[in-house]
Amino acid sequence: MELKNILVEHEKATATITINRPEKLNALNKETIQELHDVLSLLETNENVRTIIITGSGEKAFVAGADISEFAHFSEKQGAELARKGQELLFDFVENMKTPVIAAVNGFALGGGLELAMSCHFRIASDNAKMGLPEVSLGVIPGYGGTQRLAQLVGKGRAMEMVMTAGMIDAQSAKEFGLVNHVVPQADLFATYMGIADKIQRNSPVAIGKAIEAINANFKDGVNGFETEIENFGICFGTADFKEGTTAFLEKRRPVFEGK
Ligand code: COA
């Protein structure tokens, strides 16, 4: 697969995706969204990949938003299509992946950049990170799920204020708001991520996938999250990972999960 805008590296069971348009502060153009979709689809079916990290290249930006130059001349119809296609290809896709996807926010995460970080299963940030949804300053609203996910993560009042003011918050405020889980110096971001990834990778990939689905169910229209939990809880009992996990516990050894 030829990739022009992102880099993919593998270390042990972790895949690192780096959005690599530093001259445009890693802004998400159409091509980058498609490449992210293609790579994430491949990684989701790769049994050797147990955690995925998404970050931005350079020290300044995670992603400074959707690429404004691409949509500045769009009609209403094209605008709606841009949002719908982007949500399907990337933002909803990431949220619903079974492999944990963690955003390492290493600088500006604005507009589509914050929306991408919010689609990930959780976020860690460097202490220089700045986050915001500045779309109303451009005369538009967040279109990649930002109005929904920001309110879910930080609460309605804070989301309203952040969106209306188009302002940025720093990493410490983002942590206080519950938008990011950890804030560390930029140089420690990857090591922090790897420490968390190591803990995740000790656990059953099948159970983690089922848990992600159950947690997400709470935020889906017309879906009863408790029912999803009951169903997925039951499904786990039929898996090799469950047999291995319970047997290893009873035999007082560490489990070796195959993700089946
Ligand atoms: N889309 C397209 N290009 C972008 C971009 C975006 N969202 N964000 C930054 N860039 C480009 C700039 O146009 C500039 O390109 P140029 O050198 O060819 O002129 C380059 O990235 C560097 O950005 P610059 O604005 O010069 O850096 P800065 O340090 O002065 O400011 C920001 C940094 C993040 C505050 C500023 O780039 C910005 O406000 N970006 C837009 C954020 C936004 O509104 N995002 C939501 C989009 S829906």
Side-chain angles (χ1 to χ4, degrees):
M1 186 187 299
E2 200 206 333
L3 298 171
K4 286 200 214 145
N5 305 286
I6 63 177
L7 306 170
V8 184
E9 289 158 292
H10 292 264
E11 187 175 331
K12 296 187 206 159
T14 284
T16 303
I17 299 178
T18 306
I19 300 168
N20 189 31
R21 301 181 74 212
E23 71 293 348
K24 294 288 170 195
L25 302 186
N26 305 320
L28 291 177
N29 59 2
K30 215 172 133 193
E31 201 178 50
T32 306
I33 289 178
Q34 186 65 52
E35 287 183 11
L36 284 165
H37 173 83
D38 294 344
V39 163
L40 287 164
S41 304
L42 261 187
L43 295 176
E44 179 77 322
T45 59
N46 183 340
E47 284 177 8
N48 299 321
V49 174
R50 296 208 172 175
T51 53
I52 297 168
I53 174 174
I54 301 183
T55 194
S57 77
E59 289 171 6
K60 196 168 166 185
F62 173 70
V63 170
D67 192 321
I68 299 168
S69 63
E70 264 190 358
F71 62 74
H73 59 284
F74 273 12
S75 67
E76 288 174 38
K77 189 162 174 256
Q78 287 171 309
E81 274 166 13
L82 178 80
R84 186 175 302 284
K85 189 141 191 239
Q87 290 195 18
E88 279 171 16
L89 274 180
L90 183 58
F91 300 83
D92 292 353
F93 188 84
V94 169
E95 182 172 75
N96 292 308
M97 281 181 67
K98 295 186 174 61
T99 311
V101 188
I102 295 137
V105 180
N106 57 313
F108 288 115
L110 302 174
L114 181 56
E115 289 172 303
L116 177 59
M118 291 193 296
S119 299
C120 293
H121 297 127
F122 62 88
R123 291 141 291 283
I124 57 179
S126 58
D127 52 13
N128 67 320
K130 292 227 159 50
M131 285 159 255
L133 293 180
E135 284 86 347
V136 298
S137 71
L138 299 166
V140 68
I141 69 167
Y144 288 147
T147 60
Q148 306 305 295
R149 292 193 182 97
L150 185 64
Q152 288 166 5
L153 285 163
V154 307
K156 188 173 166 184
R158 282 173 170 157
M160 287 282 190
E161 185 177 342
M162 281 179 69
V163 170
M164 287 177 198
T165 60
M168 292 184 212
I169 58 170
D170 62 19
Q172 206 48 50
S173 303
K175 188 173 172 209
E176 281 159 26
F177 285 12
L179 189 51
V180 303
N181 293 8
H182 306 276
V183 177
V184 296
Q186 193 172 58
D188 299 342
L189 197 53
F190 189 67
T192 303
Y193 162 77
M194 285 305 262
I196 298 168
D198 186 53
K199 287 184 193 159
I200 294 173
Q201 288 165 12
R202 286 182 214 161
N203 303 317
S204 156
V206 181
I208 287 172
K210 292 291 168 201
I212 291 171
E213 194 183 356
I215 293 169
N216 280 340
N218 182 241
F219 300 97
K220 291 198 195 306
D221 268 350
V223 177
N224 181 329
F226 289 97
E227 279 305 320
T228 305
E229 182 179 289
I230 290 166
E231 204 178 303
N232 286 3
F233 182 77
I235 290 170
C236 290
F237 283 72
T239 66
D241 276 4
F242 174 72
K243 286 200 176 53
E244 169 62 10
T246 47
T247 306
F249 178 82
L250 295 172
E251 291 175 355
K252 300 192 188 304
R253 61 172 173 83
R254 270 177 83 157
V256 182
F257 291 115
E258 285 181 23
K260 292 191 174 118

